[in-house]
Amino acid sequence: SNSGDELLDNNDIKKELDLENYKPPKQKAIPFVTFEDGKFIISEESKKLLSQKCNDNLGIISLVGKYRTGKSFLLNRVILNRKESIGFSVGPTFKPCTKGIWIWSDPLMINNVHCAQPFPCYLIDTEGLGAYDEEVNHDSKIFLIAVLISSLFVYNSFGAIDENQINDLSFVLNLSKTIKIKSVSIEDNEEELAKYFPTLLWLLRDFSLKLEDKNGNVITEKQYLENALEEISGMSTTIEEKNRVRALIRTYFPERDCFVMVRPIEKENDLQNLQNLPDNQFRREFLEQSKIFRNKVMKKTKPKRFRNKILTGSMLVELVQSILDSINSGAIPVIENSWKYVMKNECIKNSKELSKRFITEINKYKDENKNKPDF
């Protein structure tokens, strides 16, 4: 929050997590950030899950998009490659199934060029944007939380990139208003803010167009995205607003890519039961694209960094808590203060650990030497 010192002082007394006796659940989606009584809350289960000592560094893949666009199915069947019905919540109605933010209990182990050693990566499913029972301000907060905690930000949408699709990403217009780098009242540089944002992978579902430019030349998916984000000509206020959104997407997500997938099945009636269908009922092209997309996700995911430091699981929990404290108090999250919050917690935690280790070693030495005459 803007009152960073007060926030740090209030953090001195915290209920410690019982990690020694904690056993993470297997193959289960658990609440990560919930919205209760008008406030965002990080769940105790997810705190324990992410604060395990084995997580020296970790990645976070978030999936964001409008509600009822099959985000949970994509996570379950495509990224997790789970054919079982148990997974992230999937529903056949127009009502949004995922409320708040959920996390999958078993991390993927990522082995790529971004880290010398394999590292765990957690998947999170976010509440669908634009749900009929939520306000735009609520959606902006979900979007902001996902952007700040992710190392790979997968934006899920249907069909080609057109004005409606780009307009749906107009949340980027508010990012500079909903987060600040420093608490001093100066306007933040958008390129500076971009340093804290993840890699963007824009996924276009049920895509049926040929990937060609206006001259009929075959282009890559990434080039298709770049062409869609180019400024459009004109001088009206509306066009200026459209170009502003395009410019901010390019600025906030300098590392970006695109991927397209065909409609998974031919039969309309089976769309309501995708999670439970066997592979032989999916289009072969969709299954092939699923493998390619899964590999692309694995290659693009990096360990989560903040202020150019790789975060541990416990540091990520502290970062989320700081962001939520600011949002819940009605303040604008300040990156500088959030980092102080994380560092103070890490110092307190490490001091306690070192003190505990010191006492253990001293007692061990005493027991081993107490019968010696010169002890």
Side-chain angles (χ1 to χ4, degrees), residues 125-161:
D125 188 13
T126 64
E127 179 178 342
L129 306 176
Y132 66 93
D133 58 346
E134 299 293 359
E135 59 176 344
V136 174
N137 194 36
H138 179 88
D139 286 352
S140 296
K141 293 170 183 175
I142 292 289
F143 188 90
L144 173 65
I145 295 168
V147 164
L148 288 178
I149 67 176
S150 303
S151 48
L152 180 65
F153 186 85
V154 181
Y155 183 69
N156 181 67
S157 65
F158 275 98
I161 301 177

Side-chain angles (χ1 to χ4, degrees), residues 66-72 89-98 131-132 271-274:
K66 297 191 73 174
Y67 80 103
R68 307 309 309 144
T69 54
K71 294 191 286 54
S72 300
S89 179
V90 178
T93 69
F94 65 89
K95 293 183 179 180
C97 291
T98 305
Y132 66 93
L271 287 173
Q272 310 299 330
N273 193 37
L274 287 177

Side-chain angles (χ1 to χ4, degrees), residues 8 26 113 118 164 186 211 220 255 282 332 348:
L8 293 175
K26 294 294 183 182
V113 298
N164 289 330
I186 60 172
L211 286 172
T220 64
E255 293 186 37
F282 286 94
I332 295 177
I348 292 172

